[in-house]
Amino acid sequence: MDKESPRSVSFRTHRRGERSNLNQQSKGKQSLPSSHCEFMKNVNKMFGGAGGADVEEGFPLGRVPQDYPMKIVWKKGFIRLVLVGGILWMLLILLASLFHVWSCQSSISFFSAMCNKESKVFSMLGSLGFVPKGQNQHRCPIPVVGDPDKIKIPKGGTPDEIVKNLTYVLEDEILPKGTQSSPLFGGHQNWAQREESFRLKSDMKVHCGFIRNGGAEMAPADIKYAKKCRFVVASGIFDGYDVPHQPSDLSPRSKKLFCFLMAVDETSLNFIKENVTVREDNDGGKWVGIWRLVLLKHPPYDEPRRNGKVPKILTHRLYPNAQYSIWIDGKMELMVDPLQILERYLWRGKHTFAISQHKHHHSIYEEADANKRRKRYARPLIDLHMKIYRYEGLESWDPTKKTVSDVPEGAIIIREHTAMSNLFSCLWFNEVHLFTPRDQLSFGYVVYRLGGLFKFFMFPNCEYNSLFVLHPHIREHSSRIEWVTSWNQLKGKGTISNRGKDWDQANAKNGLIESRGGLGLWTPYPANLDSVVLPPVARTSKAG
């Protein structure tokens, strides 16, 4: 008892002092504004819970929880932690977004491969101004002359300075007995003839398709009509995968000046007749709107994609009297007047050949890798194609090269049909005939072999996208050879899985091997390619 007395007295004294202080605070509080009282109540409720009233009026004896100060400290600390965590999280997101923008502009392949310019995040950052201008442009304004009627058409044509006289092989070579003797549209060009075709001379004779009895014959009425065409907008539909789309914003001058010629095969002609109105004139010509349908009888190749390269690359052979041509793919609707296109891409810069650069790829090897992964052609044949180019000295594209890119976006090609421009088209087509129908894989190689003597204008991809409206195919065409992954499948010793279906090639006769195209991949190459290693590829986009 004696030991407890001092403690009790001390405790009571302490509580008296505490009550006195609280009473003074209560008295002083009566003079505070009501808004301040309400504010204190809210604070007390926040930190004291149900005991907030006790804090305001003074704690009765024995009512103060012993852990009350710890609760206040804990709650204040928790709020600070949430705030700090939120700020750090926002900074992390900001840093990640800025890194994403930086990676899209980086020249380091490892970082550029991480960039996805098609993502919503990248688009949002672009709209907020974080992406530098020019990095997120799908379409951009084309600096064309406003009024097509004011465009001055050059008199004459660009003079031929290197190749002055170009002629073509018209008869197929006589082959030894026991070998394929039927004429090929592209001819049986051998390796020595191919090599000679790249040696530029004043007078040249080269393979350039249209070997007699090789296919792709035009009707007499279409030949007669095409002879009068000096300015041509050309297109083509094969395998019945599309219908013609009418050009927009044509000037009256261009309607009179240009012939709009759409090359088709029998399958596509029947498909077009079933889906749109086809008008026939008094001479037997077939029309869909402004387009005249030009039927190519007897398709020259087994593969529809390869057939489509005939009017695309050999426009000057199909329409030999044309001085200027604009090729557009069949799925495209032209949005710019053809005269404005010729003035912008040819006449203004005194060019004879113009084509857009590819949206994603600069190197042929990068484009080949994308073709394999997207099943655009047999993978072992693409590899063999690239090994031949690698052996013949073609390096991967890099910024030190004189060309903007080795890979074009070939859906639009703008040409003046000079001897040099026509020669380039012939050599480009010969590569498509010899190897794979993926013409983008051959363009940069032919430029390389001509040693910079072929001058052309490769314009920005954003302008390419402003020239047309791209319509989806009504249906996709494909052949089994596009799904081949191994040599065993090509030789009929394996199955090919195509969207869940297995095709057994064990009893198929030439079911996968094209009989009239790509023969350079089956003709022994005059060098050993076993030691050739393809350069590594950095994938810089979803498409690549």
Side-chain angles (χ1 to χ4, degrees):
M1 292 292 292
D2 294 336
K3 292 181 180 179
E4 293 179 359
S5 295
R7 183 173 178 267
S8 300
V9 171
S10 174
F11 184 78
R12 284 196 298 270
T13 304
H14 174 74
R15 294 307 298 252
R16 286 194 195 100
E18 189 177 81
R19 272 201 307 273
S20 175
N21 291 334
L22 287 172
N23 289 335
Q24 289 177 5
Q25 290 175 9
S26 298
K27 290 177 182 178
K29 195 164 54 172
Q30 292 174 1
S31 62
L32 292 174
S34 59
S35 59
H36 183 75
C37 294
E38 291 297 325
F39 172 75
M40 291 301 297
K41 286 181 181 180
N42 292 332
V43 173
N44 291 332
K45 286 179 181 179
M46 180 184 298
F47 294 106
D54 292 336
V55 173
E56 183 182 1
E57 303 298 334
F59 287 114
L61 289 174
R63 285 275 187 103
V64 179
Q66 294 184 1
D67 60 347
Y68 178 73
M70 292 301 298
K71 284 184 177 181
I72 294 177
V73 173
W74 185 86
K75 288 183 178 181
K76 287 183 177 180
F78 177 75
I79 292 172
R80 289 173 182 169
L81 181 63
V82 170
L83 290 174
V84 172
I87 293 171
L88 290 175
W89 182 250
M90 291 175 65
L91 286 173
L92 184 62
I93 294 174
L94 179 61
L95 288 173
S97 301
L98 293 175
F99 176 78
H100 183 62
V101 173
W102 174 83
S103 68
C104 292
Q105 303 171 59
S106 175
S107 59
I108 303 173
S109 59
F110 174 79
F111 292 113
S112 60
M114 300 168 65
C115 172
N116 178 14
K117 294 185 179 180
E118 306 299 323
S119 68
K120 293 182 179 179
V121 174
F122 194 84
S123 299
M124 181 187 70
L125 291 172
S127 63
L128 294 175
F130 286 100
V131 180
K133 291 182 179 180
Q135 295 294 322
N136 192 34
Q137 289 184 316
H138 178 66
R139 286 185 170 89
C140 57
I142 305 174
V144 296
V145 173
D147 185 359
D149 290 334
K150 295 181 179 179
I151 293 175
K152 185 177 180 180
I153 299 174
K155 293 181 179 180
T158 303
D160 298 312
E161 297 179 352
I162 301 175
V163 178
K164 298 183 178 180
N165 183 34
L166 180 66
T167 55
Y168 311 112
V169 175
L170 300 178
E171 298 287 344
D172 209 355
E173 292 79 0
I174 299 175
L175 299 176
K177 291 183 178 180
T179 59
Q180 183 178 351
S181 57
S182 60
L184 294 179
F185 177 81
H188 288 85
Q189 185 187 43
N190 58 44
W191 296 111
Q193 291 171 326
R194 173 177 177 263
E195 190 65 26
E196 182 66 23
S197 68
F198 291 111
R199 295 171 183 166
L200 299 185
K201 300 182 290 288
S202 178
D203 297 305
M204 297 190 69
K205 187 175 184 178
V206 297
H207 285 80
C208 197
F210 292 95
I211 295 293
R212 190 170 282 113
N213 299 321
E217 293 92 359
M218 291 170 59
D222 292 329
I223 294 174
K224 181 180 178 180
Y225 180 84
K227 281 183 178 180
K228 69 176 185 179
C229 299
R230 182 186 170 203
F231 294 82
V232 171
V233 175
S235 189
I237 296 175
F238 290 83
D239 200 32
Y241 63 87
D242 222 328
V243 294
H245 301 284
Q246 301 305 311
S248 303
D249 298 326
L250 290 179
S251 65
R253 187 184 183 193
S254 288
K255 288 180 181 179
K256 293 180 181 179
L257 192 63
F258 283 84
C259 296
F260 291 79
L261 304 175
M262 175 77 70
V264 296
D265 58 1
E266 292 276 4
T267 302
S268 298
L269 180 59
N270 294 331
F271 179 79
I272 291 169
K273 287 180 176 179
E274 293 172 359
N275 288 275
V276 297
T277 301
V278 177
R279 175 177 58 87
E280 189 166 338
D281 61 23
N282 295 331
D283 297 325
K286 298 174 176 60
W287 299 80
V288 176
I290 202 170
W291 290 104
R292 182 183 177 105
L293 304 181
V294 178
L295 175 62
L296 301 185
K297 299 178 181 178
H298 312 296
Y301 295 107
D302 307 321
E303 218 274 330
R305 293 187 190 274
R306 203 185 294 265
N307 285 326
K309 309 309 175 188
V310 175
K312 174 180 179 177
I313 301 178
L314 299 182
T315 312
H316 70 286
R317 297 281 280 130
L318 200 60
Y319 314 120
N321 288 358
Q323 183 180 358
Y324 298 98
S325 69
I326 301 170
W327 165 267
I328 64 171
D329 279 0
K331 61 184 176 181
M332 294 161 57
E333 174 190 339
L334 193 63
M335 296 291 292
V336 179
D337 189 90
L339 268 176
Q340 292 175 315
I341 291 175
L342 291 180
E343 192 283 328
R344 160 70 179 110
Y345 296 107
L346 296 186
W347 300 333
R348 188 182 305 180
K350 297 183 179 180
H351 304 293
T352 60
F353 191 106
I355 195 167
S356 165
Q357 57 184 289
H358 195 277
K359 181 179 181 180
H360 299 293
H361 306 141
H362 292 86
S363 168
I364 283 175
Y365 301 109
E366 189 179 22
E367 175 69 10
D369 181 71
N371 274 266
K372 288 192 296 181
R373 289 184 297 103
R374 299 176 74 186
K375 298 179 175 63
R376 297 305 192 195
Y377 203 66
R379 275 167 261 188
L381 297 182
I382 290 179
D383 281 338
L384 179 56
H385 186 184
M386 293 297 100
K387 281 189 174 184
I388 291 173
Y389 284 179
R390 182 67 169 172
Y391 179 84
E392 293 178 349
L394 180 65
E395 299 289 341
S396 297
W397 183 91
D398 64 66
T400 62
K401 280 194 172 185
K402 294 181 180 179
T403 55
V404 175
S405 172
D406 284 343
V407 184
E409 195 76 70
I412 291 182
I413 307 173
I414 307 152
R415 285 170 280 205
E416 179 184 358
H417 294 170
T418 64
M420 190 66 178
S421 174
N422 292 344
L423 174 64
F424 178 84
S425 296
C426 291
L427 300 181
W428 186 14
F429 179 81
N430 290 343
E431 295 300 294
V432 171
H433 170 70
L434 280 171
F435 302 120
T436 67
R438 310 310 303 182
D439 55 272
Q440 290 165 307
L441 300 180
S442 304
F443 180 89
Y445 170 80
V446 179
V447 172
Y448 154 72
R449 287 304 307 269
L450 294 179
L453 295 176
F454 173 63
K455 306 297 182 181
F456 63 98
F457 177 34
M458 183 169 273
F459 54 91
N461 186 268
C462 62
E463 288 191 25
Y464 159 85
N465 285 304
S466 299
L467 289 168
F468 64 90
V469 172
L470 184 63
H471 294 274
H473 288 311
I474 292 177
R475 70 177 184 86
E476 286 290 340
H477 65 243
S478 65
S479 59
R480 289 181 289 182
I481 198 168
E482 295 180 353
W483 296 82
V484 170
T485 59
S486 68
W487 285 104
N488 283 336
Q489 291 172 345
L490 284 170
K491 295 175 182 178
K493 298 178 181 179
T495 59
I496 300 172
S497 177
N498 177 16
R499 300 172 189 173
K501 298 178 181 178
D502 287 333
W503 286 315
D504 188 359
Q505 301 301 314
N507 300 316
K509 273 190 176 180
N510 292 329
L512 292 173
I513 300 173
E514 296 183 67
S515 61
R516 292 177 286 175
L519 301 185
L521 298 170
W522 302 98
T523 304
Y525 186 71
N528 186 357
L529 300 173
D530 292 341
S531 61
V532 176
V533 178
L534 295 178
V537 172
R539 297 173 184 174
T540 58
S541 70
K542 284 185 176 180

